[in-house]
Amino acid sequence: MAEPKVYRNFIDGEWVESSTHKDFENRNPADRSEVIGTFQDSGEGDVRAAIEAARRAYRRWRLVPAPKRAEYLFRVGEILVRRKEEYAREMTREMGKPIREARGDVQEAIDVCYHIAGEGRRLHGYTTPSELPNKACYSVRVPVGVCGLITPWNFPMAIPSWKLIPALVCGNTIVLKPASDAPLSSYHLVKVCQEVGIPRGVVNYVTGGGATVGNGLTRSEGVALVSFTGSSETGRQVNLACADTFKRVSLEMGGKNAMIVMDDARLDLAVEGALWGSFATSGQRCTATSRIIVHKKVHKEFVDKLAERADRLKVGDGLDESVDVGPLISEAQLKKVMEYVQIGRDEGADPVVGGVRLTKNEYGRGFFFPPTIFTGVTPGMRLAREEIFGPVVCILAADSLDDALEIANDTLYGLSSSIYTQDVNKAFVAVRDLETGIAYVNSSTIGAETHLPFGGVRRSGNGHREGAAHTSLEIFSEWKTVYVDYSGKLQKAQIDTN
Ligand code: UN1
């Protein structure tokens, strides 16, 4: 077997080894014997060097006209189009999602590039009249500085692109720390940034642990902004660490997303949506459907249909085009899922399908867990309250729309939600009353398009909206308000002069 490829950090335009001389392996979760590559297990010195490089590069990059910055980003999009298949396959190997979904992940990065590169010629500000004569008032977007980007393994190219591309168009420089479970896809993104000629030091990439690289970014005085996607618990720590240096922080975190199925819903459509929302990416999406609140009148029929379909989903290596559900990312994640299945059983809920780890034959080589559906779940159970991040969905019963909404909103999270109904009045009431950042009607809780705001309330987010929507510019730019007085005399705002 060939030696696994060694991937280096990218600091100040050079691919360099970590000063620690340590590395870690990235293995295929569908087959643990396959090493995708080894990556640098960096130390604080590496992060410092990357931040310094980003600071130096910032002095020039912020002055490059935004439409010119955007030209690089259009070219990043073009290369991703050409390499979509190659990068998708590598993504499936490194983190397991079925190849169709991996193609979607790369496509999401392409969409972000094209949409946000267009912002290079917009980046609109406000112009308003002054209350005084011979005076102009306007406001412009200016960059923030060096941005620390801490990204997850579940969308290993899309989510880094949500941060990196808007950060660059606004004139910031960046240090990216990808999740150690899937650092290869963001390596590809960074490599493409280098290929299109983005100047040295503007994009830096440092792999390694949260305690060293992550903390190095959150604690540094040289970093002006941290954008993080991951668990709510880690997000809290990131937020606390950033408070010391008054950083701007954007947090995109967990969910316990509910789908409501009313008695007038098209049940077959709702079943399709539930399968996709609950089991795509093996439930490892922050927007995954993890609670399905079904009207009592259709509860049995819905559960029977869903269970029958879930049982037929094909679990396996995501490189097989016919596979619906890939492996979980890691042993730790598998253990967590198994623990929650046990918790559910202990709480008296009933797994109608799945619930037991798959180990036979080729399953034994990876972290496979089957689609699992719990019925008999009540709102107080831990199963209904805590984020699992696996192919486990729980079904709750409701008497009415009001009852369903109350159950849906009874959570610490607030990322995504959905309702299946044919009644337009009920749909609009739900859209109004679901306390989430994203709400779907007659569609699953997943499937956000990149040009709309993405994010949630409560423990799902801290008030920002990422993705490639105009709202991402709010994160990665500051407002500067400019007053130009051409009256030739001192004019005093708010002071009566007559
Ligand atoms: C996530 O839920 O972890 O909306 C990100 C979607 C994808 C992004 C999901 N576009 O399903």
Side-chain angles (χ1 to χ4, degrees):
M1 231 197 215
E3 280 285 297
K5 187 166 171 189
V6 178
Y7 293 90
R8 300 191 166 81
N9 289 332
F10 190 57
I11 299 176
D12 206 12
E14 310 282 341
W15 294 98
V16 290
E17 263 175 36
S18 161
S19 53
T20 61
H21 303 293
K22 286 197 253 168
D23 56 27
F24 64 91
E25 285 175 344
N26 177 14
R27 285 177 181 256
N28 182 346
D31 180 353
R32 301 300 293 152
S33 65
E34 188 188 350
V35 182
I36 310 296
T38 62
F39 289 77
Q40 306 301 308
D41 190 3
S42 309
E44 275 159 29
D46 303 306
V47 190
R48 268 200 305 277
I51 295 169
E52 275 318 305
R55 280 172 72 88
R56 284 194 299 275
Y58 177 66
R59 291 189 204 124
R60 286 169 193 246
W61 182 246
R62 75 183 182 90
L63 300 177
V64 174
K68 294 284 163 203
R69 295 195 293 252
E71 282 173 19
Y72 293 108
L73 306 179
F74 277 119
R75 292 209 290 275
V76 171
E78 281 162 21
I79 295 187
L80 292 180
V81 169
R82 288 206 294 278
R83 301 210 188 123
K84 181 170 166 180
E85 188 60 23
E86 176 193 338
Y87 288 168
R89 296 189 80 77
E90 298 256 38
M91 183 185 297
T92 293
R93 284 176 64 225
E94 82 161 336
M95 59 71 66
K97 68 169 75 175
I99 183 70
R100 287 189 302 271
E101 292 184 38
R103 289 183 191 119
D105 196 310
V106 179
Q107 184 59 46
E108 195 157 331
I110 295 166
D111 295 342
V112 170
C113 287
Y114 287 155
H115 177 69
I116 287 294
E119 290 296 340
R121 287 188 185 268
R122 288 186 288 267
L123 290 180
H124 300 304
Y126 302 109
T127 312
T128 69
S130 167
E131 65 190 49
L132 294 164
N134 298 319
K135 188 176 167 192
C137 309
Y138 63 96
S139 53
V140 287
R141 289 185 187 279
V142 292
V144 181
V146 175
C147 301
L149 312 180
I150 305 177
T151 59
W153 45 263
N154 66 338
F155 277 80
M157 185 176 283
I159 293 182
S161 81
W162 293 3
K163 302 178 192 296
L164 188 144
I165 305 295
L168 294 188
V169 88
C170 289
N172 305 286
T173 57
I174 68 112
V175 180
L176 170 63
K177 179 231 170 296
S180 298
D181 281 323
L184 180 59
S185 297
S186 55
Y187 165 91
H188 288 143
L189 190 61
V190 167
K191 192 101 191 343
V192 174
C193 289
Q194 180 194 22
E195 275 178 60
V196 300
I198 292 177
R200 65 186 296 159
V202 172
V203 173
N204 302 275
Y205 164 89
V206 182
T207 53
T212 46
V213 185
N215 261 328
L217 291 172
T218 55
R219 301 215 171 270
S220 168
E221 289 281 357
V223 173
L225 175 158
V226 167
S227 169
F228 164 85
T229 299
S231 71
S232 302
E233 183 42 38
T234 309
R236 196 178 63 84
Q237 290 167 21
V238 166
N239 210 359
L240 285 169
C242 288
D244 273 343
T245 45
F246 297 91
K247 281 185 188 54
R248 188 182 264 237
V249 194
S250 170
L251 304 172
E252 203 58 77
M253 301 171 289
K256 191 72 189 174
N257 312 292
M259 169 185 289
I260 295 175
V261 181
M262 292 305 296
D263 49 343
D264 62 17
R266 278 180 52 196
L267 277 199
D268 289 338
L269 191 66
V271 166
E272 291 290 335
L275 285 172
W276 178 232
S278 309
F279 305 125
T281 328
S282 304
Q284 303 169 115
R285 295 196 192 200
C286 31
T287 47
T289 308
S290 51
R291 296 179 292 153
I292 308 180
I293 304 164
V294 188
H295 195 286
K296 279 195 174 137
K297 281 193 198 151
V298 292
H299 186 275
K300 182 170 175 349
E301 189 184 350
F302 177 82
V303 170
D304 289 349
K305 285 186 167 170
L306 183 67
E308 193 258 322
R309 290 288 305 279
D311 213 26
R312 282 197 280 127
L313 290 176
K314 184 168 170 187
V315 181
D317 184 337
L319 283 178
D320 174 346
E321 297 274 354
S322 65
V323 156
D324 301 300
V325 180
L328 295 180
I329 185 71
S330 63
E331 181 139 31
Q333 204 55 36
L334 179 69
K335 272 202 181 131
K336 185 176 170 198
V337 168
M338 284 165 40
E339 268 167 36
Y340 271 103
V341 167
Q342 190 54 47
I343 288 168
R345 286 201 167 101
D346 293 347
E347 287 178 316
D350 181 25
V352 287
V353 284
V356 181
R357 180 185 177 178
L358 302 171
T359 50
K360 281 205 188 110
N361 305 328
E362 74 275 13
Y363 289 140
R365 294 204 282 267
F367 304 127
F368 291 98
F369 201 86
T372 300
I373 302 170
F374 273 94
T375 55
V377 180
T378 52
M381 292 182 183
R382 285 182 65 191
L383 204 59
R385 307 196 76 77
E386 297 174 18
E387 186 178 46
I388 301 173
F389 227 63
V392 180
V393 66
C394 53
I395 313 235
L396 299 102
D399 292 321
S400 62
L401 178 61
D402 281 350
D403 189 24
L405 287 169
E406 201 173 308
I407 297 169
N409 289 334
D410 180 16
T411 167
L412 292 171
Y413 296 101
L415 183 53
S416 183
S417 58
S418 112
I419 180 164
Y420 280 82
T421 177
Q422 292 298 300
D423 181 335
V424 70
N425 297 346
K426 291 199 173 103
F428 271 92
V429 168
V431 165
R432 184 192 64 199
D433 292 344
L434 283 164
E435 294 164 3
T436 54
I438 307 169
Y440 291 91
V441 176
N442 291 328
S443 185
S444 186
T445 60
I446 64 173
E449 300 181 31
T450 59
H451 55 296
L452 285 122
F454 183 98
V457 301
R458 303 189 188 134
R459 294 192 188 184
S460 296
N462 66 337
H464 297 280
R465 292 292 182 271
E466 290 201 353
H470 54 284
T471 47
S472 66
L473 305 177
E474 297 298 337
I475 298 170
F476 293 103
S477 63
E478 296 274 10
W479 282 112
K480 180 176 282 180
T481 305
V482 184
Y483 298 101
V484 182
D485 191 319
Y486 53 97
S487 67
K489 57 185 185 209
L490 176 65
Q491 302 197 88
K492 297 176 181 166
Q494 294 98 33
I495 303 296
D496 295 331
T497 46
N498 38 352

